[in-house]
Amino acid sequence: MSPAAATAATAAATAESHGFLSPTGVEIAFLLVGLVTLGAAVITVTTRQLVHAALWLVVALGGLAVEYLLLTAEFIAWVQVLIYVGSVVVLLLFGLMLTKAPIGRSPDADSRNRPVALAVALLAAAALVWVVVDAFRTTVIDLDGAAQGSTDVTGSILFRHWVLPFEALSVLLLAALIGAIVLSRKKAAEDTTASPATDPHEDAPTPEGDR
Amino acid sequence: MHLHLAYPAVLAALLFCVGVYGVLARRNAILVLMSVELMLNAVNLNLVAFDVWLRDSLHAGQALTLFTIAIAAAEIGIGLAIVLAVYRNRGSSAVDELRDTAESAAEEPDPAQEPRQAKPSQKAEATA
């Protein structure tokens, strides 16, 4: 972080009116929420309790939703809360339960290549932060004026300019749904009595499949 | 009211690297999927920040962010179905025990789950 701090200091010296040393309220809020988000993400990838990892992921994703709100992208913030916090984390918790993840501390949560992973992540972080700070240290987002991501704006551009990708995405979601059903249904030879083809709840992975 | 672009960009870079660490270091496949979600969210933050900065009239960044969120939801569904199928067949969801297509079979003889008849063919491929 020392080259990043040095470049930030020089950027504060070169930026004429908005420096890093006189942050606005939005910047302070963004920084604090960003620290919480990053800390929750680090705990998510380092904790040894598997269910706690999913719950800290909720904190990280919720913090990102607050960051979207600070960037005036309201609609994406609420979509983030609905889809990520509402459904993806619940799916992950279901997956942890269905694979009989141990409650409490599991000593083998990390694999043997943990030092290599740490080295790769630290090198990538140093390189990315250096490049990003060097490129954008004098760039300022102007947040005045109307919100750029309100539901009005987003709906308008989505159904005026992005209709074809939107419809293609619905086809992809249908394909993913069918794929998940096919992958998680039991073989017909395993239980001939249960008649799985008429079961309406077979898209949810059933706990009977684990026995 | 203004916001330096460096703040969201640096946060996105750091979140992405945290996700990289999780993908490489975690053993449980579901924790790997969580780390993939972190990486996708870092990319989403970048897209939104640059969209707000550039004031794009098409708002391509926000549209792409919505598409990424939908694709991530589909990905997590398929990924969990695959993990459940692997768990049902192998009795484990640890990614480093799935070594059927590994190059060197002599490294670690693994118990019971591995099909034994795969080893001579692997040896033959290794010597050929």
Side-chain angles (χ1 to χ4, degrees):
Chain A
M1 282 302 286
S2 66
T7 49
T10 57
T14 53
E16 61 281 3
S17 60
H18 343 277
F20 280 91
L21 293 181
S22 61
T24 60
V26 175
E27 285 178 330
I28 294 174
F30 196 96
L31 199 60
L32 291 178
V33 178
L35 283 179
V36 171
T37 304
L38 194 61
V42 168
I43 296 176
T44 300
V45 298
T46 53
T47 181
R48 297 201 179 279
Q49 312 199 18
L50 304 185
V51 182
H52 286 196
L55 298 180
W56 280 106
L57 190 65
V58 172
V59 178
L61 299 178
L64 271 172
V66 178
E67 306 281 41
Y68 292 151
L69 277 182
L70 289 175
L71 285 167
T72 70
E74 305 165 10
F75 183 69
I76 291 181
W78 300 124
V79 165
Q80 169 97 2
V81 170
L82 276 178
I83 293 187
Y84 271 112
V85 182
S87 73
V88 166
V89 174
V90 171
L91 265 181
L92 286 170
L93 281 173
F94 264 105
L96 281 178
M97 280 189 269
L98 290 179
T99 54
K100 296 186 174 57
I103 303 294
R105 220 163 253 286
S106 60
D108 56 347
D110 290 332
S111 67
R112 278 168 310 177
N113 49 11
R114 188 160 171 256
V116 181
L118 193 62
V120 167
L122 284 181
L123 277 178
L128 279 176
V129 167
W130 178 50
V131 167
V132 158
V133 168
D134 196 34
F136 300 117
R137 61 187 168 188
T138 57
T139 310
V140 162
I141 304 175
D142 190 11
L143 292 178
D144 289 330
Q148 298 192 52
S150 62
T151 312
D152 189 8
V153 175
T154 309
S156 168
I157 59 111
L158 200 59
F159 289 104
R160 191 166 290 158
H161 302 290
W162 298 95
V163 176
L164 194 59
F166 187 81
E167 298 296 333
L169 192 66
S170 63
V171 176
L172 184 136
L173 277 179
L174 178 67
L177 177 71
I178 295 173
I181 292 173
V182 169
L183 277 176
S184 62
R185 72 182 285 172
K186 287 173 285 189
K187 293 285 184 291
E190 288 181 10
D191 48 352
T192 54
T193 61
S195 75
T198 58
D199 188 7
H201 297 298
E202 67 182 353
D203 53 345
T206 55
E208 286 87 4
D210 299 327
R211 289 177 193 154
Chain B
M1 202 62 95
H2 63 87
L3 175 70
H4 273 282
L5 183 58
Y7 286 113
V10 167
L11 177 63
L14 289 178
L15 272 181
F16 187 85
C17 294
V18 169
V20 167
Y21 169 76
V23 166
L24 291 179
R26 285 304 207 179
R27 202 157 165 272
N28 194 322
I30 295 176
L31 293 180
V32 172
L33 283 177
M34 286 184 203
S35 309
V36 170
E37 293 303 309
L38 277 179
M39 292 164 73
L40 284 168
N41 271 284
V43 174
N44 283 346
L45 181 62
N46 250 341
L47 283 173
V48 170
F50 277 82
D51 182 84
V52 174
W53 171 47
L54 292 171
R55 294 185 173 272
D56 186 12
S57 62
L58 284 182
H59 282 296
Q62 294 190 24
L64 200 56
T65 303
L66 289 174
F67 295 160
T68 312
I69 289 176
I71 289 176
E75 174 253 337
I76 207 77
I78 295 286
L80 278 179
I82 292 174
V83 170
L84 284 181
V86 168
Y87 179 79
R88 198 181 303 158
N89 286 332
R90 303 296 189 93
S92 163
S93 59
V95 287
D96 51 358
E97 287 179 9
L98 308 175
R99 305 185 60 85
D100 282 355
T101 57
E103 189 73 25
S104 64
E107 183 182 296
E108 179 184 338
D110 222 27
Q113 286 105 327
E114 301 218 346
R116 293 289 98 174
Q117 67 271 17
K119 292 191 88 172
S121 64
Q122 283 178 357
K123 290 264 180 61
E125 280 179 9
T127 52

